[in-house]
Amino acid sequence: MPDGGIGASSKRREDLRFLTGRGKYTDDINLQGQAHAHFVRSDVAHGRINSIDTSAASSMPGVIRIFTATDFEGVGGIPCGWQVTDRFGEVMQEPKHPILAEGKVRHVGDPICVVVADTLEQARDAADALVINITPLEAVLDMKAALAEGATKVHDDLNSNLCYDWGFVEENREAVAEAINNAHHVTTLELRNNRLVANPMEPRVAVGDYDFSTDEHTLYTTSQNPHVIRLLMGAFVLGIPEHKLRVVAPDVGGGFGAKIYHYAEEAFCTFAAKTIGRPVKWTSTRSEAFISDAHGRDHVTKIELALDENGKFLALRTDTHANMGAYLSTFAPSIPTWLHGTLMAGNYTTPLIYVNVKAVFTNTVPVDAYRGAGRPEATFQLERVVDKAAREMGIDPVELRRRNFITEFPYATPVAVEYDTGDYHATMDKLLQISDHAGFEGRAALSKANGKLRGFGIAHYIEACGIAPSNLVGQLGARAGLYESATVRVNATGSISVMTGSHSHGQGHETSFAQVVADMIGVDENQIDIVHGDTSKTPMGMGTYGSRSIAVGGSAMVRATEKIINKAKKIAAHLMEAAEGDIELKDGQFSVAGTDKSVAWGDVTLAAYVPHNYPLEDIEPGLEETAFYDPANFTYPSGAYGCEVEVDPATGKVTVVAFSAADDFGNIINPMIVEGQVHGGLAQGIGQAMIENCAYDDQGQLLSGSYMDYAMPRADDLPMFTVDHSSITPCTHNPLGVKGCGEAGAIGSPPALVNAVVDALQRAGHNVTHIDMPLSPDRVWAAMNS
Amino acid sequence: MHNFEFVKPSSVADAVSALAGEGAQALGGGQTLLPTMKQRLAAPEKLVSLSGLAEMTGVSSAGGVMTIGGATTHASVAADAGAYPGLAGLAAHIGDPAVRNRGTIGGSLANNDPSACYPAAALGSGATIVTNTREIAADDFFQGLFSTALDEGEIITAVKFPIPQASNYQKFVQPASRFALVGVFVARYADGVRVAVTGASEEGVHRWSAAEAALSANFSAAALDGLSVAADGMIADLHGTAAYRAHLVKVMTGRAVAAAS
Ligand SMILES: Cc1cc2nc3c(=O)[nH]c(=O)nc-3n(C[C@H](O)[C@H](O)[C@H](O)COP(=O)(O)OP(=O)(O)OC[C@H]3O[C@@H](n4cnc5c(N)ncnc54)[C@H](O)[C@@H]3O)c2cc1C
């Protein structure tokens, strides 16, 4: 076996181009004759558009055309990909999401019109000459107030600002209430999961092109899933059939969820390119990204945990208001429901659970999946309330968790999912070891001597990755299937191109995917290229999100490679005049069992394409296979996280002094890449817990609309991480036994951090039971001094 | 960004005459001005670059006074102002390396951002702002948020800092911008202690006279014990309430005194 393969920390081959500035991103694409689009966006949160006067602007130098909503009459709105059914069996309220605002603007950043000009500066100059008359309306911001009788409506044609009132499992509602009413102890916690802006390093870009000779449209875009964009935009917005629409997502500089969705700018550039007969390009500025990329999180929750006298969890009830923003982004309705409610059991045997979620429209940027998507919100409230319960009942937080851990698998939770494998005691043991939990008191004493308050916080998470069995999500309201595809194309000389429906935007697929195929065939991984991100090259794929790529995309690749190996064995059998059943493949050599006869991989691949001596009567020439893989279940990564903080009592400043993560990701393809994914996830989770805060004022103006006020985590905000993924319970239902690792860090870290700060403050005698994220110094100081 | 004309004069005199025209504006390191122009919040017709002027760059010390050219970068001050460690330390923690390699002391003082660091050093040192026409005492120079005693077209050519016996700047960073949420500069001179506060007040950089009196009598953090800072007039925003800022002023002052060397 050549070096590399499954389990090797192969260096990321894509880094050569990324780190030397040779990546090819969408903004690097410049087409002959391209025009530039500048979006004119609302600067009020809510208002009625009285008039748009384009006359002066239209005659400005370089202006090609100014588009308003009237240009899109007869064109569909931006579709939502998931329909949730509420507690009463009614489908959610689903407002139209026009490409350009029709009649009303509904959030700061809502696009009103677009100036297309020869240069971007000309487009911006002309935009300054537009006369747009808007009557501001009251902004709907607070979710609870938005649901009050007589509240101003974001969408006049809907009954109210309530998108849906979801209950899960509705049949358990009464039983849960009864268990809580009769319990020995009930711990209650009210909290907010703060709104975040994803801020991928590369802002969004779209370039639309149209070829009159072939009637073909091409959209280059910063997407995590080009086929999904082709489907949504082609079928629901612009009415372009798939064979006339190509969507390319080349190198993409980070997504974190915000680049899953179909956005108005993509449809606009595709539409406008045909209208004006020239390619049209739009590149988001960072300021625009803050008010037009989908935001994340933004839940307000009350959670109650009922326990018996021994600390056994009896029932759990949670009541959440989830902000949808002004319109429904592509997957928005599914995040607080199916990606959130189904995780409320966590790692515990709680027999009765009821989750209520009210999704609410407000005059803010739409909210959708952001690294973790629903699972961080579930984990945060659960791990916070468990910690609070431990403190209230005087039980050690580790011990309380252990008393309630699920230990037998498969385990069917009361919230409709079945965990296939896991070993939570093992990850907890590992965490206590790698974090030197036993040595904490000594470190706390040292901190105290230095005038600092030290605390240790634990969280144990479960998440559901590898989204998802298509028949299941179809029942739950998904308007798409969630399989993945791969084509393995073996070339005549034995080199291999793998066309995957997964998309890599920083995850290192070009390296780890090649390792899998190399391992299966026994060839050098450098003989294998991973091709992705172009609907004209890869089979219909659903893209990358929800830590699904190796679990679902990787499995499709395994299935296609198995087909390749089966066929290659037939060819090898023919070449060696042996029975097919006797052929073995090892290290890229086919041999006949029990003999010294063998042929090399390259001999077989050559025979496939130069079939002079070939079983033409039995099989076709060529060596190319496609597989679509639809998973049987979600995968369930889990892990124990430990955070150690020091609080400066004079200023409230929190310093994360240590962070340890003990994860069970199932089998590992490339340990280095997995560790990197955990590091990134931890940075984002710690960012959310410590400093990131997307905040609006009472007029609906974004207070943190730039890096001057929106704090991104930087290296010096973070400690060195201790990461371990040696606790492995392989997934039982996918061929690689993998579970996925992309989001875990962001899911498990916020509650660990908040638990650590509460621990530090309580050890110092402060009666603080909760502080809402981000735990900025002023909030911590206020909590200590209230 | 709108189009503009770019002028690179070779002397202060040329710069002054280039600035005399309508719509002309001085360009220091561009670390404040260029982002504002990119956002189209400023649209000068002509930029007059000061950064290449030899007569406006460099750090020198004589007779207990450190003179820093108005176009000297933060990085140069950090490296060359060793005779005034409190000041060199302040410069070393402005922004990031790119900002420090471009941004200038003249640009920072002329801009007078209420959260900027240099204004605290200038006011806390009782510095003299030297322009092409006159000398302005720091006490008269800062006139509230983003406002100074400078006239239209007037250039800061140098800043003269009396070197104290001991000094320190404590910056409590705002987590996003990493400007000062509250910054306090303390300088001890033979004739008394000066304390200047940035980031905190709606009036911009200011002196804390009660602390100056207490510290002049007893230069130790304990001297501040009986003092308190009122929250009235303090900035309240996403990153901190007025009460929190008022509290931080005292904490940071105490730390600056303890660290002063
Ligand atoms: C990312 C970032 C982080 C930063 N962090 C900090 C920080 O932590 N602390 C801090 O204090 N500052 C910080 N700054 C601001 C930085 O110090 C700027 O360099 C400074 O405020 C302006 O200096 P400049 O030379 O770049 O001026 P410019 O941007 O060129 O000009 C600013 C203004 O001053 C005028 N001007 C420039 N030079 C002169 C002169 N010699 N005489 C008269 N008028 C002049 C210009 O006309 C303009 O109005 C930061 C900036 C950035 C971009």
Side-chain angles (χ1 to χ4, degrees):
Chain A
M1 176 70 204
D3 290 348
I6 291 174
S9 281
S10 300
K11 288 216 171 103
R12 295 183 7 140
R13 53 170 76 173
E14 47 270 82
D15 284 350
L16 183 63
R17 67 178 193 279
F18 293 158
L19 298 179
T20 57
R22 293 180 179 91
K24 187 158 183 172
Y25 297 89
T26 309
D27 193 51
D28 294 320
I29 294 168
N30 292 297
L31 303 177
Q32 181 73 29
Q34 113 195 328
H36 296 265
H38 172 71
F39 280 74
V40 178
R41 298 176 186 278
S42 177
D43 55 10
V44 297
H46 194 192
R48 193 164 306 288
I49 304 171
N50 301 318
S51 62
I52 303 172
D53 181 355
T54 60
S55 51
S58 298
S59 56
M60 299 272 290
V63 173
I64 299 163
R65 185 161 168 163
I66 297 172
F67 291 82
T68 63
T70 53
D71 292 292
F72 292 90
E73 282 165 8
V75 168
I78 304 293
C80 177
W82 204 297
Q83 185 178 55
V84 165
T85 302
D86 73 8
R87 290 175 50 201
F88 312 102
E90 301 288 324
V91 297
M92 67 187 190
Q93 292 206 81
E94 189 171 358
K96 183 175 181 190
H97 185 182
I99 292 175
L100 296 177
E102 286 173 1
K104 253 173 104 170
V105 287
R106 294 189 177 84
H107 65 85
V108 170
D110 205 1
I112 302 167
C113 45
V114 189
V115 183
V116 179
D118 288 333
T119 70
L120 185 57
E121 292 301 318
Q122 288 170 331
R124 293 185 67 179
D125 287 343
D128 290 344
L130 285 165
V131 184
I132 301 174
N133 183 302
I134 292 180
T135 304
L137 302 170
E138 189 194 10
V140 180
L141 295 160
D142 179 81
M143 287 193 274
K144 288 179 184 164
L147 296 184
E149 196 64 37
T152 300
K153 286 195 285 185
V154 177
H155 295 276
D156 301 332
D157 52 342
L158 299 187
N159 298 330
S160 67
N161 293 316
L162 180 68
C163 177
Y164 55 72
D165 178 355
W166 185 75
F168 183 65
V169 172
E170 191 59 25
E171 293 70 47
N172 289 346
R173 191 181 168 92
E174 293 309 322
V176 169
E178 203 179 306
I180 289 176
N181 289 341
N182 300 328
H184 166 77
H185 185 87
V186 178
T187 296
T188 304
L189 184 60
E190 293 190 35
L191 52 86
R192 169 179 285 273
N193 204 293
N194 43 328
R195 181 185 276 244
L196 303 174
V197 184
N199 278 308
M201 197 179 292
E202 176 207 30
R204 288 189 297 117
V205 184
V207 185
D209 191 22
Y210 178 69
D211 185 335
F212 280 90
S213 62
T214 58
D215 188 31
E216 279 171 12
H217 299 261
T218 304
L219 170 69
Y220 302 90
T221 182
T222 45
S223 175
Q224 300 176 215
N225 30 246
H227 272 105
V228 174
I229 303 305
R230 188 182 70 169
L231 180 69
L232 293 176
M233 183 177 78
F236 298 102
V237 188
L238 299 178
I240 306 169
E242 284 98 325
H243 68 296
K244 294 294 182 192
L245 176 58
R246 175 182 170 209
V247 178
V248 185
D251 283 336
V252 172
F256 311 111
K259 291 175 182 167
I260 298 172
Y261 325 117
H262 177 41
Y263 286 98
E265 294 86 356
E266 296 172 316
F268 176 83
C269 290
T270 309
F271 177 87
K274 182 173 181 183
T275 312
I276 69 162
R278 286 169 64 174
V280 175
K281 181 174 192 172
W282 168 75
T283 299
S284 174
T285 62
R286 183 61 66 187
S287 312
E288 257 181 311
F290 272 98
I291 53 172
S292 69
D293 289 7
H295 291 172
R297 316 280 194 256
D298 206 350
H299 286 191
V300 174
T301 294
K302 177 181 176 190
I303 181 168
E304 297 155 284
L305 176 65
L307 306 94
D308 74 9
E309 55 279 7
N310 299 317
K312 268 298 225 186
F313 301 163
L314 301 174
L316 182 79
R317 177 166 60 197
T318 150
D319 183 345
T320 285
H321 286 70
N323 207 332
M324 294 286 103
Y327 304 100
L328 291 178
S329 174
T330 309
F331 286 123
S334 68
I335 310 306
T337 50
W338 300 109
L339 291 177
H340 167 253
T342 50
L343 273 303
M344 283 314 313
N347 306 92
Y348 311 113
T349 53
T350 319
L352 281 167
I353 298 177
Y354 180 70
V355 183
N356 182 221
V357 177
K358 295 184 183 71
V360 186
F361 294 111
T362 60
N363 290 117
T364 61
V365 170
V367 180
D368 206 329
Y370 166 75
R371 201 171 194 167
R375 292 152 289 165
E377 295 90 322
T379 305
F380 183 72
Q381 51 175 303
L382 182 60
E383 289 302 296
R384 283 289 301 120
V385 83
V386 167
D387 225 66
K388 187 165 184 243
R391 291 171 191 286
E392 287 175 358
M393 296 189 68
I395 304 173
D396 177 74
V398 173
E399 171 58 23
L400 183 64
R401 287 177 170 86
R402 287 195 191 272
R403 279 186 205 172
N404 290 282
F405 274 162
I406 296 161
T407 52
E408 285 175 22
F409 298 88
Y411 177 82
T413 72
V415 276
V417 289
E418 185 177 280
Y419 303 161
D420 58 343
T421 54
D423 185 345
Y424 310 141
H425 285 290
T427 38
M428 185 64 97
D429 290 344
K430 181 56 79 176
L431 172 74
L432 298 181
Q433 178 207 329
I434 63 175
S435 62
D436 185 19
H437 186 251
F440 173 75
E441 294 296 343
R443 297 190 294 276
L446 278 179
S447 296
K448 194 170 178 189
N450 292 326
K452 298 282 166 54
L453 320 178
R454 203 175 184 102
F456 193 98
I458 295 250
H460 208 291
Y461 74 87
I462 180 96
E463 59 155 330
C465 296
I467 182 168
S470 294
N471 55 2
L472 173 65
V473 294
Q475 288 165 27
L476 305 183
R479 289 166 167 159
L482 286 168
Y483 52 83
E484 198 45 271
S485 66
T487 294
V488 176
R489 176 180 298 159
V490 181
N491 302 308
T493 61
S495 68
I496 301 166
S497 302
V498 180
M499 276 62 76
T500 169
S502 299
H503 186 278
S504 186
H505 31 279
Q507 295 89 343
H509 294 173
E510 291 169 36
T511 304
S512 48
F513 282 18
Q515 286 177 252
V516 172
V517 177
D519 197 89
M520 290 179 71
I521 300 175
V523 294
D524 190 314
E525 60 192 55
N526 292 315
Q527 255 182 278
I528 301 165
D529 243 5
I530 304 298
V531 178
H532 63 94
D534 185 339
T535 60
S536 72
K537 291 182 180 165
T538 74
M540 172 86 177
M542 297 309 292
T544 290
Y545 37 82
S547 305
R548 70 192 300 272
S549 290
I550 198 68
V552 191
S555 296
M557 216 167 50
V558 170
R559 292 284 182 252
T561 307
E562 284 168 356
K563 292 188 196 178
I564 291 284
I565 291 171
N566 283 341
K567 183 170 178 184
K569 280 184 175 173
K570 286 195 172 77
I571 302 169
H574 177 88
L575 293 177
M576 293 187 280
E577 297 177 339
E580 191 194 322
D582 292 339
I583 304 297
E584 291 172 350
L585 170 62
K586 189 162 184 288
D587 295 349
Q589 286 286 122
F590 295 91
S591 56
V592 182
T595 74
D596 58 2
K597 274 207 243 174
S598 72
V599 287
W601 170 250
D603 298 327
V604 172
T605 63
L606 191 65
Y609 289 95
V610 188
H612 295 162
N613 172 20
Y614 194 86
L616 284 168
E617 56 287 354
D618 294 331
I619 48 173
E620 297 166 7
L623 201 48
E624 172 166 332
E625 298 288 350
T626 295
F628 285 73
Y629 178 84
D630 206 285
N633 190 355
F634 291 89
T635 61
Y636 299 95
S638 60
Y641 283 10
C643 178
E644 209 162 308
V645 297
E646 266 190 352
V647 180
D648 178 347
T651 64
K653 184 169 170 52
V654 175
T655 304
V656 181
V657 288
F659 203 105
S660 307
D663 295 291
D664 173 1
F665 294 136
N667 292 334
I668 305 285
I669 308 299
N670 182 319
M672 179 196 71
I673 288 181
V674 167
E675 189 164 339
Q677 288 290 309
V678 176
H679 283 195
L682 292 178
Q684 275 176 286
I686 293 172
Q688 163 165 33
M690 292 267 293
I691 53 179
E692 292 190 49
N693 190 18
C694 177
Y696 284 94
D697 72 7
D698 57 7
Q699 305 293 306
Q701 294 293 334
L702 194 53
L703 291 172
S704 46
S706 81
Y707 290 149
M708 291 301 280
D709 288 296
Y710 190 91
M712 294 295 285
R714 286 173 255 196
D716 66 349
D717 291 316
L718 305 167
M720 297 303 283
F721 299 129
T722 307
V723 175
D724 179 281
H725 31 76
S726 62
S727 306
I728 294 174
T729 60
C731 169
T732 55
H733 56 80
N734 65 43
L736 290 166
V738 293
K739 295 184 174 180
C741 67
E743 296 160 294
I747 292 170
S749 53
L753 196 151
V754 179
N755 289 346
V757 173
V758 170
D759 184 56
L761 299 187
Q762 291 197 358
R763 281 166 180 275
H766 295 282
N767 182 23
V768 174
T769 55
H770 180 70
I771 306 173
D772 268 331
M773 301 185 290
L775 269 55
S776 57
D778 67 317
R779 288 188 185 181
V780 175
W781 179 79
M784 293 169 72
N785 291 284
S786 65
Chain B
M1 194 183 284
H2 292 278
N3 279 338
F4 58 88
E5 194 189 329
F6 182 74
V7 183
K8 200 164 171 57
S10 49
S11 67
V12 172
D14 287 352
V16 169
S17 49
L19 279 169
E22 258 311 276
Q25 191 169 355
L27 177 70
Q31 296 303 295
T32 296
L33 185 52
L34 295 185
T36 327
M37 289 170 64
K38 284 186 188 165
Q39 288 176 291
R40 296 190 160 212
L41 296 173
E45 285 161 33
K46 190 201 299 185
L47 287 186
V48 180
S49 172
L50 307 177
S51 60
L53 294 175
E55 49 188 309
M56 274 177 61
T57 45
V59 178
S60 61
S61 304
V65 173
M66 178 174 283
T67 303
I68 300 179
T72 309
T73 63
H74 310 332
S76 300
V77 175
D80 300 336
Y84 190 167
L87 184 62
L90 173 147
H93 290 98
I94 294 176
D96 49 46
V99 170
R100 294 195 288 275
N101 284 328
R102 297 296 310 175
T104 66
I105 189 169
S108 179
L109 295 177
N111 195 48
N112 193 18
D113 186 305
S115 303
C117 302
Y118 267 131
L123 191 61
S125 309
T128 301
I129 319 295
V130 183
T131 77
N132 56 308
T133 57
R134 55 184 169 145
E135 298 203 343
I136 310 168
D139 283 317
D140 302 325
F141 181 82
F142 301 106
Q143 303 189 343
L145 311 190
F146 298 104
S147 142
T148 68
L150 289 176
D151 290 331
E152 195 78 4
E154 190 172 3
I155 297 174
I156 298 174
T157 53
V159 188
K160 292 199 254 181
F161 291 92
I163 300 174
Q165 297 162 344
S167 68
N168 185 259
Y169 177 60
Q170 288 289 320
K171 176 183 182 181
F172 193 84
V173 298
Q174 191 258 57
S177 70
R178 296 201 175 176
F179 275 66
L181 186 73
V182 167
V184 178
F185 196 94
V186 171
R188 181 186 194 185
Y189 292 93
D191 59 353
V193 174
R194 289 176 72 102
V195 177
V197 178
T198 187
S201 165
E202 289 174 339
E203 306 289 308
V205 68
H206 64 277
R207 288 169 66 184
W208 183 16
S209 38
E212 290 183 348
L215 292 167
S216 297
N218 170 17
F219 193 69
S220 81
L224 303 168
D225 280 349
L227 304 183
S228 70
V229 181
D232 286 352
M234 290 285 162
I235 297 170
D237 63 12
L238 192 58
H239 308 286
T241 58
Y244 182 61
R245 279 188 166 84
H247 167 76
L248 279 184
V249 169
K250 183 168 165 181
V251 175
M252 291 299 122
T253 306
R255 290 186 180 178
V257 171
S261 55

